[in-house]
Amino acid sequence: SPVETAVHDDEARRLYAALDQVDTCDRVLLVLHYLQGLSYREMADVTGEPVGTVKWRTSLALSRMRTLLTAEKRHVP
């Protein structure tokens, strides 16, 4: 429906706006994993870091994104 499409578009804009606000290192990990669908092993190959480090850093990056989105949600009337 048009309403669902509008809500989806708004959510996508919010996600991309928050993604633009995180550090480049965080953005790279989030894009590789959540937008490009790479596994942690593949991400480790791309970044040259151990898999455990990639998992840990991705978790932190996701937490930072959640914090941004939660803060934004509280400021929207």
Side-chain angles (χ1 to χ4, degrees), residues 29 31-34 36-47 51 54-55 58:
L29 293 172
V31 167
L32 289 174
H33 190 62
Y34 293 101
Q36 295 185 356
L38 270 62
S39 68
Y40 291 116
R41 165 60 52 208
E42 292 167 324
M43 292 167 62
D45 291 341
V46 169
T47 62
V51 174
V54 169
K55 286 181 180 181
T58 302

Side-chain angles (χ1 to χ4, degrees), residues 15-44:
L15 285 171
Y16 281 102
L19 194 58
D20 285 341
Q21 293 178 46
V22 297
D23 292 338
T24 302
C25 295
D26 288 349
R27 186 178 316 116
V28 166
L29 293 172
L30 294 170
V31 167
L32 289 174
H33 190 62
Y34 293 101
L35 298 179
Q36 295 185 356
L38 270 62
S39 68
Y40 291 116
R41 165 60 52 208
E42 292 167 324
M43 292 167 62

Side-chain angles (χ1 to χ4, degrees), residues 47-63:
T47 62
E49 297 179 338
V51 174
T53 301
V54 169
K55 286 181 180 181
W56 171 68
R57 289 186 51 227
T58 302
S59 175
L60 288 177
L62 187 57
S63 177

